[in-house]
Amino acid sequence: MKLKSVLMLTSGAVLAAPMAMAQDMANDMTLVSWGGAYQTSQVRAYAEPYMAMHPDVSVVWDESSNEAVARLRAMNEAGNITWDLVDVVASDAIRLCDEGLAMEIDADEVLAPAPDGTPASEDFGDLLVSDCFIPQIVYSTTFGYRNDVAEWNGRTPDNICDVFDLENFPGQRSLERRPINNMEWALLCSGVAMEDIYDVLETEEGIDQAFAMLDTIKDETVWWSAGADTPQLLADGEVVIGSTYNGRLFSVIEEQDQPVSMLWDAQVFDLDGWIIPEGLPEDRLARVLDFVRFATDTQRLADQAQYISYGPARASSAPLVGTHADLGIEMGPHMPTDPANATRTILYNYEWWADYRDDLDARFQAWLSQ
Amino acid sequence: MTDNTAQTPSGPVLAADGRPLKASLNRALRAQKIRALLLIAPLLIFILITFIAPIADMLFRSVENQIVRDTLPRTVVALDTWTNTDEAPGEDVYAALYYDIFEAAEFRNHSRVGSRLNYELTGVSSMFRRAGRGVGRFDTDIYTDQFTALDPAWAEYETWTGLMDDDAIRAALPETSDAFDTWIHITIDANDDVPAEEDIEDFVFTALYRDLSNTGYSGSNALLSTAADAVAGFESVSLRDQFADMDEDWLDPTVMETIKVYSPSYTPGYFLTAIDMQLTADGVSAQPEDRRIYVTLFERTLFMSMVIMGSCVLLGYPIAFLLANLPTRVSNLLLILVLLPFWTSLLVRTSAWKVLLQQQGVINDVLVWIGLVADDNRLQLINNQTGTIIAMTHILLPFMILPLYSVMQTIPPTYVRAAKSLGATNWTAFWRVYFPQSVPGIGAGCILVFILSIGYYITPELVGGRTGTFISNRIAYHISSSLNWGLAAALGSILLAVVLLLYWAYDKLVGIDNVKLG
């Protein structure tokens, strides 16, 4: 009798489940992203196909990712979460997860397996850097340089240290106005081995060494704070070499056809992906989970690479990367993860920077204003 | 009607109804005041809720520091008795820390307090993050095993509730009862589980072991008496060593000192940081030279705002003068040109300045073309203070012109004419007669431009480079990037205080009644 009722209940639940699911899903979703070409790639690769399958669903996009952590914290304090799915960089995802502002997920349960049945946790592998983080893309911060500088006498930079070489490569540079990445590059070029960078940077002498290296180009550098700055500065000839996100450089080179080339040496890999805010009501959560499962499956991640030159976060997506949707060029060689580009890379050290960011940033800003 | 005042010359003045005139007058006035208050009430409430309250709440964060005490309550108490700060505290503090971090990790608060302390001592953030994972894997399971091996009843939830219902036992085992309550709290509130169905966590047994081995047990409960006799023979584990195994730095006295210094609910720490000082266990001291930034930025913000204000007066005054003295039809047309920038996005205007001012930009190109500047020595007009001053003067100019214009319109032209007919030169007539009358407009314009410019951050961020950024850029950074809201609030409070101080000084020097917007 007991067993029978349990069986009845379960079978009832199994039958009812799909119906209940469809009914209990909210039809409005607020997705948060970065705007620009990156958001467009998400709209075209994820949202439009999803809405074609679910015509009732309407999606609102909010371009607030650069202040997502602060906004989510404020929403959490106010007890009113208005966002359903938020696109953030991995370091922000880790912080949001730490603060309990993002929902912890079980990758194998929430995310779709690869077409060959590999569970999501293996397909994403090491890129699942936090329990809350659902990776989408691998991007890199790297350098672009003008390939028409007369003073260079035909030399082309092929090493990160050429950025610090004013003799052979004179001209203005542009670097981001924060210590992250710049300190690593400076140490690498002052003779520190790649694997020792963070150990050295934990010491006062190491920090001084990095600043001494940056001092050599300080007055020849424009310090940017928006990702669009370096592409504009390069296109206008204001700087001859500068760091920015590789996707921005792709559009300068391929879409705008500027005389700019890529310097992939010592590019810094970083990740970008979704987090689900903690505390969503059930109907909205159900909708978001349904969307995220679709939007991060193998094909969708590969599709995104048709619109922007960022590498899909799933191993199984890489072989499916094809040609650019509008330009028709092969996207493989433009991916930061392409073996030819990834001969020497740095992986953003999330744990280390979480500790040292505040302190080094204070020093960096003080150094800048001197 | 009789004259009441005449009858009682020494008493209070009475109204017609016999009440004192003063009270009667007050009553009538109060009714009027209430009516006035009711009329503005909607706006007043709106401003209080949407403007004053959030600002007050934000400014309050500059001293608020409850997070350490709330998250690590036992540690804070245990640290009170720690006086020899040359070496790490004893076992009791680490036991308290163990319970605190275990509880905080279940509620996912541990890394929040880690980030808070990391503002003061670099490296603490990851210590707490790792400890949140690590405390669950401490070797304290040996206590659980030993107690349950002694008597399997210890694994039963009912045994524990039976013991904990007895107030005498609770008093005899303070740490244990606290740990058990915490475990119930965690199980129900953090994990949504039913305590009766869950295994009791190791930290509860750790507390039991510590209570029994520290003070023994002299009560009548047989189970506890047996356990109290047995604990002497138990294998034990040092929590201090457990923390040290996880990370050597937990034995670093500086870490514990930092927790202790920042344990009060209110701290001057943020304000000290905001003026390049620091609060450490040794008291207040100056930041090392290479980390000082905020005082420089405050000075720079004030200095550049003054310069921007000055250049707005220099550029705006002649325009306002022209506008006020042209026929209305022409001046209206020109006024539209003044207002035109308001209809363009701020970002567009700032970006336009980039195109104009950069070294390969329009202005430099023209200068090179007419031969004023050599091609290899182009002027650096952007990404420095010059860029910020030029762009912000342009953006804030209408705020100077408009009050000036409306004040100048009210100056009767007859005064200048009278001065001239009395023999004054053009200059004397302007300087001695016209200019003094336009001072209220200058005052209003200056206050507007100055206050707007010290709070500006988008334009300095985009064109300021490394020498032209303001304190507001740092405030924005701490609000949205570093999440150090306490420091942002302290910087904001100081900025607010500076503005109020300058306003007060202006009132003393020029007189605030002397400000007119029209």
Side-chain angles (χ1 to χ4, degrees):
Chain A
M1 159 101 181
K2 206 175 178 186
L3 181 71
K4 197 178 157 197
S5 66
V6 167
L7 275 176
M8 277 175 70
L9 273 173
T10 24
S11 58
V14 167
L15 284 176
M19 285 170 65
M21 287 284 275
Q23 276 170 357
D24 292 349
M25 277 191 209
N27 278 334
D28 298 307
M29 254 193 312
T30 305
L31 306 186
V32 183
S33 188
W34 301 90
Y38 182 63
Q39 185 173 309
T40 310
S41 74
Q42 292 177 317
V43 172
R44 291 176 71 177
Y46 313 153
E48 282 175 1
Y50 185 80
M51 291 197 304
M53 287 159 55
H54 304 87
D56 301 341
V57 176
S58 66
V59 174
V60 177
W61 289 85
D62 187 335
E63 303 179 3
S64 304
S65 280
N66 58 344
E67 52 189 23
V69 185
R71 291 275 295 274
L72 277 170
R73 198 199 240 190
M75 283 183 194
N76 181 271
E77 283 186 13
N80 181 20
I81 311 285
T82 58
W83 290 346
D84 295 300
L85 191 61
V86 188
D87 190 285
V88 289
V89 291
S91 56
D92 283 345
I94 292 171
R95 280 202 292 177
L96 287 165
C97 206
D98 278 351
E99 296 218 3
L101 298 173
M103 195 178 95
E104 283 185 18
I105 54 144
D106 178 351
D108 289 336
E109 203 175 292
V110 170
L111 305 176
D116 63 0
T118 313
S121 58
E122 276 175 47
D123 204 11
F124 283 104
D126 293 341
L127 304 189
L128 291 164
V129 293
S130 153
D131 294 336
C132 305
F133 187 55
I134 308 166
Q136 291 170 72
I137 55 141
V138 178
Y139 71 96
S140 85
T141 308
T142 189
F143 284 86
Y145 61 89
R146 280 191 77 92
N147 48 29
D148 62 349
V149 185
E151 290 93 335
W152 292 2
N153 296 322
R155 285 183 294 265
T156 52
D158 57 2
N159 187 299
I160 180 70
C161 300
D162 294 341
V163 173
F164 296 91
D165 183 354
L166 284 170
E167 208 164 296
N168 287 317
F169 300 98
Q172 294 256 33
R173 282 92 171 96
S174 68
L175 290 173
E176 191 170 4
R177 202 188 296 162
R178 64 171 195 179
I180 301 172
N181 302 346
N182 293 334
M183 303 297 272
E184 284 99 327
W185 286 325
L187 277 188
L188 200 60
C189 290
S190 64
V192 176
M194 183 82 92
E195 61 271 18
D196 298 333
I197 288 178
Y198 293 101
D199 289 336
V200 173
L201 214 46
E202 279 179 24
T203 63
E204 281 294 310
E205 299 78 46
I207 297 172
D208 291 341
Q209 191 183 340
F211 279 126
M213 195 68 203
L214 287 169
D215 266 329
T216 60
I217 56 166
K218 187 179 181 183
D219 295 329
E220 293 286 312
T221 301
V222 177
W223 301 92
W224 59 267
S225 53
D229 285 347
T230 293
Q232 176 256 321
L233 293 166
L234 278 171
D236 288 354
E238 192 73 5
V239 301
V240 292
I241 186 164
S243 70
T244 188
Y245 314 124
N246 72 290
R248 303 272 189 170
L249 288 168
F250 172 82
S251 74
V252 172
I253 297 168
E254 298 295 341
E255 289 167 10
Q256 296 164 28
D257 223 6
Q258 296 288 334
V260 173
S261 304
M262 301 286 294
L263 167 59
W264 289 104
D265 186 40
Q267 54 167 322
V268 183
F269 278 155
D270 197 352
L271 307 170
D272 191 273
W274 301 116
I275 59 102
I276 303 170
E278 180 76 59
L280 287 184
E282 252 167 58
D283 57 335
R284 278 166 62 192
L285 182 61
R287 173 58 71 197
V288 167
L289 287 174
D290 189 58
F291 174 75
V292 139
R293 192 178 178 85
F294 170 79
T296 57
D297 69 11
T298 301
Q299 186 59 48
R300 247 46 60 185
L301 289 187
D303 285 351
Q304 193 185 6
Q306 292 175 16
Y307 307 103
I308 199 152
S309 65
Y310 295 129
R314 277 179 187 263
S316 61
S317 296
L320 301 177
V321 170
T323 54
H324 192 281
D326 304 322
L327 300 173
I329 51 173
E330 205 56 52
M331 290 303 279
H334 295 280
M335 294 290 157
T337 42
D338 189 65
N341 299 333
T343 48
R344 186 162 73 147
T345 62
I346 301 174
L347 182 63
Y348 187 119
N349 191 334
Y350 304 106
E351 181 102 339
W352 195 88
W353 277 111
D355 274 357
Y356 288 87
R357 184 180 165 165
D358 297 319
D359 185 50
L360 273 185
D361 198 79
R363 271 204 72 169
F364 190 80
Q365 300 302 334
W367 172 79
L368 268 186
S369 64
Q370 273 159 21
Chain B
M1 203 180 275
T2 51
D3 187 3
N4 289 331
T5 51
Q7 290 168 356
T8 52
S10 57
V13 183
L14 295 183
D17 55 0
R19 294 156 181 250
L21 182 62
K22 210 172 167 189
S24 172
L25 205 64
N26 275 346
R27 214 166 56 120
L29 280 179
R30 198 181 313 130
Q32 251 179 13
K33 273 184 196 157
I34 288 173
R35 219 181 56 163
L37 199 67
L38 282 177
L39 279 171
I40 63 155
L43 180 65
L44 188 71
I45 292 168
F46 179 76
I47 286 179
L48 275 177
I49 293 176
T50 63
F51 187 68
I52 308 283
I55 289 180
D57 177 63
M58 203 64 211
L59 295 184
F60 178 62
R61 287 169 193 267
S62 59
V63 288
E64 195 218 327
N65 189 43
Q66 270 127 1
I67 181 167
V68 180
R69 188 164 281 271
D70 287 353
T71 319
L72 308 172
R74 302 175 190 85
T75 314
V76 166
V77 172
L79 278 174
D80 277 343
T81 54
W82 175 51
T83 44
N84 177 17
T85 51
D86 289 337
E87 56 180 85
E91 181 73 8
D92 285 348
V93 168
Y94 288 95
L97 195 63
Y98 172 49
Y99 307 136
D100 280 338
I101 293 186
F102 195 98
E103 183 182 3
E106 292 288 332
F107 287 93
R108 292 168 73 194
N109 288 330
H110 62 295
S111 47
R112 219 181 271 201
V113 75
S115 315
R116 165 66 190 96
L117 292 168
N118 199 65
Y119 297 141
E120 316 301 339
L121 187 67
T122 298
V124 181
S125 176
S126 65
M127 285 168 67
F128 271 87
R129 198 169 324 115
R130 264 182 254 133
R133 288 193 295 265
V135 286
R137 299 193 211 111
F138 273 8
D139 295 335
T140 45
D141 53 338
I142 60 165
Y143 296 126
T144 316
D145 296 345
Q146 291 177 103
F147 276 111
T148 44
L150 187 70
D151 190 333
W154 281 115
E156 299 300 323
Y157 175 70
E158 287 73 23
T159 314
W160 283 90
T161 47
L163 290 174
M164 290 300 146
D165 278 344
D166 187 338
D167 283 342
I169 293 179
R170 272 186 172 268
L173 306 171
E175 222 168 293
T176 312
S177 48
D178 178 45
F180 183 74
D181 293 345
T182 305
W183 178 72
I184 297 275
H185 178 47
I186 290 171
T187 313
I188 294 174
D189 295 328
N191 300 339
D192 269 338
D193 289 329
V194 180
E197 294 168 4
E198 298 297 314
D199 287 338
I200 291 160
E201 288 281 355
D202 299 337
F203 77 92
V204 183
F205 288 99
T206 310
L208 180 64
Y209 171 82
R210 281 176 48 80
D211 270 336
L212 292 179
S213 57
N214 284 349
T215 54
Y217 176 72
S218 52
S220 57
N221 186 291
L223 189 65
L224 276 175
S225 303
T226 325
D229 294 339
V231 287
F234 272 14
E235 192 191 339
S236 72
V237 54
S238 158
L239 289 165
R240 197 167 181 257
D241 293 348
Q242 290 288 312
F243 271 99
D245 284 349
M246 201 162 53
D247 192 331
E248 264 307 303
D249 287 338
W250 282 111
L251 292 193
D252 180 357
T254 337
V255 173
M256 289 298 166
E257 271 184 327
T258 307
I259 296 178
K260 192 173 175 171
V261 169
Y262 285 92
S263 59
S265 298
Y266 299 96
T267 175
Y270 291 123
F271 272 103
L272 289 170
T273 310
I275 52 168
D276 289 337
M277 310 281 273
Q278 55 185 351
L279 178 66
T280 58
D282 307 324
V284 178
S285 59
Q287 287 275 7
E289 190 109 28
D290 52 15
R291 282 178 176 77
R292 286 181 209 163
I293 169 108
Y294 297 114
V295 173
T296 322
L297 280 176
F298 273 118
E299 285 169 2
R300 185 195 290 165
T301 305
L302 292 178
F303 169 73
M304 286 179 62
S305 298
M306 293 276 183
V307 173
I308 290 161
M309 184 185 84
S311 47
C312 277
V313 175
L314 287 182
L315 293 176
Y317 197 91
I319 297 171
F321 184 79
L322 185 71
L323 285 174
N325 290 291
L326 280 176
T328 323
R329 220 161 49 85
V330 187
S331 74
N332 276 347
L333 195 70
L334 290 180
L335 204 58
I336 288 176
L337 292 181
V338 172
L339 290 174
L340 203 60
F342 280 133
W343 305 335
T344 323
S345 151
L346 174 71
L347 281 173
V348 171
R349 278 182 282 160
T350 308
S351 307
W353 277 115
K354 274 190 165 180
V355 177
L356 285 172
L357 294 175
Q358 61 186 5
Q359 290 197 303
Q360 308 295 325
V362 179
I363 291 177
N364 264 309
D365 281 349
V366 171
L367 290 176
V368 168
W369 183 67
I370 58 174
L372 267 177
V373 169
D375 195 17
D376 53 357
N377 194 22
R378 286 169 177 247
L379 296 180
Q380 177 82 42
L381 294 173
I382 201 167
N383 295 321
N384 54 15
Q385 298 198 352
T386 321
T388 306
I389 290 170
I390 293 176
M392 284 192 50
T393 303
H394 166 242
I395 285 162
L396 295 176
L397 200 54
F399 294 98
M400 180 64 78
I401 295 177
L402 292 176
L404 268 175
Y405 168 67
S406 52
V407 167
M408 285 176 177
Q409 263 197 325
T410 62
I411 302 175
T414 43
Y415 290 3
V416 175
R417 260 183 262 145
K420 282 185 189 165
S421 73
L422 291 169
T425 61
N426 276 343
W427 171 250
T428 317
F430 168 76
W431 186 244
R432 301 279 300 277
V433 176
Y434 191 88
F435 182 77
Q437 296 185 80
S438 66
V439 165
I442 298 180
C446 283
I447 289 184
L448 263 179
V449 169
F450 184 78
I451 289 179
L452 281 174
S453 79
I454 62 170
Y456 240 67
Y457 80 94
I458 297 175
T459 305
E461 180 76 27
L462 289 176
V463 302
R466 61 183 187 84
T467 54
T469 49
F470 283 8
I471 190 71
S472 36
N473 298 98
R474 286 278 90 192
I475 297 179
Y477 167 79
H478 286 303
I479 288 279
S480 60
S481 284
S482 82
L483 291 190
N484 193 348
W485 287 6
L487 180 55
L491 291 168
S493 306
I494 294 177
L495 201 57
L496 185 65
V498 169
V499 172
L500 292 177
L501 194 74
L502 286 170
Y503 186 81
W504 175 82
Y506 182 90
D507 186 32
K508 286 284 152 201
L509 293 174
V510 185
I512 209 66
D513 303 335
N514 216 352
V515 166
K516 268 193 212 155
L517 284 165

